[in-house]
């Protein structure tokens, strides 16, 4: 079926297929066409341009977008949306003065979520996760990465990854799966981290590879979690099974996680709330995408990733939600874009680039999503009537999305 969208007030993020990411000063440029049309055939973008350039297409359906804008759907390259229950009590504990670290040290945090998930059936876990996925799609997300890491046993990690696989099969949106067995050290291995690493390496990874359950391998490289040496070991082994590294680094401390990730050609390094000049120098030598997670900084009241420093170093930057029950119980990319502008001093152009084309790169999905490009998936957002695209971050907390299209079909209304 051919659908023609006409009178688009502004068609945002129009790119040639050769552009895979934007870095440094390029991030401040957001190519758009005012008074545009967009043509899609079935699930693919086939043409776009100025309204007065429309030629005689044979069209099944015409959609008038007067006053409205179209932009590519958000690319959320870092989430943990498969989890069981919630950690609302820890939220209240933090309000009452405990720190995220203190809660984790008392057996809360990731281990609390793992306990809940281990007791939850695969079907229940799927239902809870599918609901979250529907919710973020309605908020404009059109490609997503989902991590394991709340199982922490062979069975529970496999259960999580199978749930992700089922989401992949049942939803109309590109999903990438990441194995994050090295998310925390389970209670029973507290004095035997080596034993847990061996479990990941000798039992989890071979099973995951055999069932083809993951695209990427991740680890939480942080004081109190996993060291640089552990990271080196896990990433090397993951790569042997064909998994591409994407890591949690520099959330609270800069301990060399970026260097070891870059050594393994990581696709992305995520968090980066604490970033040294040496870290920036290492990133400059790489193709690795730095990823900031401003909703996590907001929720935990920790520093924001120094976006200006990253961009001024001529590096690229992507934005993602980190949707998870502990540090970021929100999957709203509109809020992420607004917060990046408000708190990280990114311009609307930089933030939209970071949340679309650079997010797609951070998932190895540049060929399919992240821009309005001929041949890419017809995954896009039609906004409500707005005066400018800067209005999206400016009106933080307001839902300006009218319709989300995934593969040429309406996903919400
Ligand atoms: O990316 N930092 C590590 N992992 C998650 C949060 C884990 C949790 O608190 O459940 C994150 O913020
Ligand atoms: Fe995370």
């Amino acid at each position: 079926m051919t659908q023609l969208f006409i009178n688009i007030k502004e068609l945002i993020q129009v790119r040639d297929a050769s552009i895979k990411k934007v870095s440094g000063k390029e991030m401040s440029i957001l190519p758009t066409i005012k008074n545009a049309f967009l043509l899609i055939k079935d699930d693919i973008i086939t043409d776009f341009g100025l309204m007065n350039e429309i030629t005689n297409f044979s069209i099944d359906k015409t959609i008038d977008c007067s006053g409205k804008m179209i932009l590519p759907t958000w690319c959320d390259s870092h989430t943990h949306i498969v989890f069981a229950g919630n950690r609302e009590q820890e939220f209240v504990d933090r309000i009452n003065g405990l720190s995220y670290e203190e809660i984790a040290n008392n057996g809360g945090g990731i281990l609390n979520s793992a306990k809940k998930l281990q007791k939850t059936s695969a079907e229940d876990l799927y239902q809870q996760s599918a609901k979250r996925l529907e919710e973020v799609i309605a908020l404009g997300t059109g490609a997503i990465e989902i991590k394991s890491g709340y199982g922490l046993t062979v069975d529970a990690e496999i259960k999580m990854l199978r749930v992700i696989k089922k989401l992949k099969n049942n939803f109309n949106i590109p999903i990438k799966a990441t194995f994050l067995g090295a998310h925390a050290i389970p209670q029973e291995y507290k004095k035997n981290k080596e034993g847990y690493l061996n479990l990941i390496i000798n039992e989890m990874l071979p099973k995951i590879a055999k069932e083809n359950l993951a695209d990427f391998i991740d680890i939480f490289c942080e004081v109190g979690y996993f060291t640089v040496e552990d990271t080196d070991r896990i990433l090397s082994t993951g790569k042997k099974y064909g998994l591409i590294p994407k890591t949690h680094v520099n959330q609270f401390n800069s301990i060399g996680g970026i260097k070891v990730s870059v050594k393994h050609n990581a696709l992305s390094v995520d968090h980066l709330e604490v970033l040294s000049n040496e870290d920036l120098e290492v990133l400059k030598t790489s193709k690795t995408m730095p990823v900031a997670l401003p909703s996590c900084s907001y929720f935990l009241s920790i520093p924001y990733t120094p976006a200006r420093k990253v961009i001024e170093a001529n590096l690229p930057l992507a934005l993602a939600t980190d949707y998870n029950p502990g540090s970021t119980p929100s999957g709203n990319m509109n809020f992420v874009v607004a917060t990046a502008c408000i708190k990280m001093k990114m311009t609307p152009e930089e933030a939209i680039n970071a949340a679309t084309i650079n997010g797609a790169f951070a998932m190895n999905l540049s060929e399919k999503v992240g821009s309005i490009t001929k041949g890419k998936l017809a995954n896009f957002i039609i906004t409500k009537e707005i005066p400018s695209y800067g209005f999206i971050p400016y009106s933080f907390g307001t839902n300006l999305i009218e319709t989300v299209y995934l593969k040429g079909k309406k996903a919400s209304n």
Side-chain angles (χ1 to χ4, degrees):
M1 183 169 77
T2 306
Q3 300 182 77
L4 179 67
F5 299 79
I6 57 166
N7 298 323
I8 305 162
K9 182 168 177 171
E10 198 161 356
L11 182 62
I12 298 160
Q13 188 65 302
V14 291
R15 297 273 182 185
D16 192 81
S18 60
I19 310 287
K20 307 278 188 251
K21 63 175 171 187
V22 283
S23 312
K25 284 201 176 74
E26 294 163 356
M27 288 193 67
S28 64
I29 298 162
L30 184 64
T32 71
I33 302 174
K34 287 185 175 152
N35 197 19
F37 77 89
L38 173 68
L39 184 72
I40 67 172
K41 186 168 187 321
D42 302 325
D43 56 343
I44 299 291
I45 296 170
T46 51
D47 205 358
F48 55 82
L50 285 164
M51 273 306 285
N52 60 18
E53 287 172 347
I54 293 186
T55 43
N56 264 346
F57 304 123
S58 105
I59 294 147
D60 299 304
K61 197 172 173 192
T62 302
I63 297 104
D64 183 22
C65 299
S66 294
K68 299 164 191 173
M69 301 200 176
I70 290 187
L71 68 155
T73 44
W74 306 123
C75 294
D76 191 353
S77 66
H78 182 140
T79 84
H80 310 247
I81 67 162
V82 175
F83 60 84
N86 63 67
R87 303 225 299 270
E88 204 189 316
Q89 184 53 50
E90 293 180 9
F91 169 59
V92 177
D93 291 343
R94 279 195 303 106
I95 293 169
N96 287 324
L98 282 183
S99 71
Y100 182 72
E101 199 184 359
E102 283 164 338
I103 292 167
N105 291 342
N106 294 340
I110 296 166
L111 298 186
N112 183 359
S113 286
K115 225 183 285 163
K116 289 189 168 81
L117 188 137
Q118 287 162 10
K119 285 190 251 161
T120 304
S121 71
E123 180 53 30
D124 187 3
L125 190 59
Y126 174 79
Q127 293 303 340
Q128 293 187 39
S129 310
K131 212 168 142 192
R132 292 180 200 115
L133 189 53
E134 277 164 24
E135 170 207 328
V136 301
I137 289 171
L139 290 165
T141 295
I144 194 166
E145 180 260 14
I146 310 173
K147 299 174 197 295
S148 74
Y150 288 122
L152 309 183
T153 64
V154 179
D155 287 353
E157 283 295 309
I158 299 280
K159 176 166 70 184
M160 283 190 84
L161 289 164
R162 286 190 184 142
V163 166
I164 300 172
K165 193 170 189 173
K166 193 167 166 189
L167 293 169
K168 266 193 201 188
N169 292 338
N170 294 353
F171 279 78
N172 203 16
I173 136 176
I175 297 177
K176 291 281 187 168
T178 300
F179 172 51
L180 176 57
H183 197 192
I185 302 152
Q187 204 61 53
E188 55 278 30
Y189 287 95
K190 271 283 170 243
K191 294 202 175 79
N192 177 22
K193 187 177 68 175
E194 212 39 40
Y196 185 57
L197 288 169
N198 289 336
L199 187 77
I200 293 175
I201 288 169
N202 300 326
E203 296 195 40
M204 294 185 189
L205 269 168
K207 279 209 164 109
I208 289 161
K210 200 164 163 220
E211 271 192 58
N212 199 9
L213 289 173
D215 305 290
F216 306 130
I217 177 106
D218 198 344
I219 181 165
F220 188 17
C221 181
E222 184 55 68
V223 176
Y225 294 83
F226 295 94
T227 64
V228 168
E229 291 69 36
D230 302 335
T231 305
D232 200 17
R233 218 174 134 201
I234 291 290
L235 298 188
S236 305
T237 317
K239 278 162 71 183
K240 285 193 191 125
Y241 287 101
L243 307 183
I244 299 166
K246 261 173 90 66
T247 54
H248 280 74
V249 290
N250 292 46
Q251 183 175 4
F252 302 106
N253 299 281
S254 173
I255 57 170
I258 292 184
K259 199 168 178 187
V260 67
S261 303
V262 163
K263 174 181 146 190
H264 287 288
N265 293 319
L267 182 60
S268 73
V269 283
D270 303 26
H271 271 290
L272 318 179
E273 287 88 340
V274 178
L275 202 51
S276 70
N277 288 336
E278 197 194 327
D279 291 325
L280 283 171
E281 289 308 313
V282 173
L283 281 168
K284 281 189 203 169
T285 65
S286 77
K287 292 198 170 70
T288 301
M289 178 64 72
V291 179
L293 310 165
S295 297
C296 174
S297 299
Y298 177 84
F299 190 70
L300 294 185
S301 300
I302 61 173
Y304 288 87
T305 302
R308 293 263 49 98
K309 255 172 100 172
V310 175
I311 294 170
E312 274 150 30
N314 204 28
L315 289 165
L317 185 64
L319 289 167
T321 62
D322 197 19
Y323 193 175
N324 76 74
S327 72
T328 324
S330 161
N332 189 340
M333 281 295 285
N334 306 283
F335 180 79
V336 164
V337 168
T339 308
C341 294
I342 297 161
K343 296 291 184 186
M344 293 160 64
K345 303 287 175 228
M346 292 175 76
T347 63
E349 290 79 9
E350 288 170 337
I352 293 172
N353 275 321
T356 55
I357 196 161
N358 284 359
F361 183 93
M363 289 187 273
N364 248 352
L365 282 173
S366 303
E367 308 295 326
K368 287 191 168 172
V369 289
S371 60
I372 302 294
T373 299
K374 289 178 201 172
K376 283 197 183 181
L377 291 177
N379 286 16
F380 53 86
I381 295 167
I382 304 183
T383 68
K384 293 178 183 162
E385 291 194 20
I386 51 174
S388 65
Y389 59 71
F391 212 70
I392 299 170
Y394 167 77
S395 307
F396 76 99
T398 306
N399 187 358
L400 296 174
I401 294 175
E402 186 174 88
T403 319
V404 178
Y405 276 80
L406 295 179
K407 296 191 182 165
K409 292 198 182 93
K410 267 191 199 184
S412 69
N413 233 338

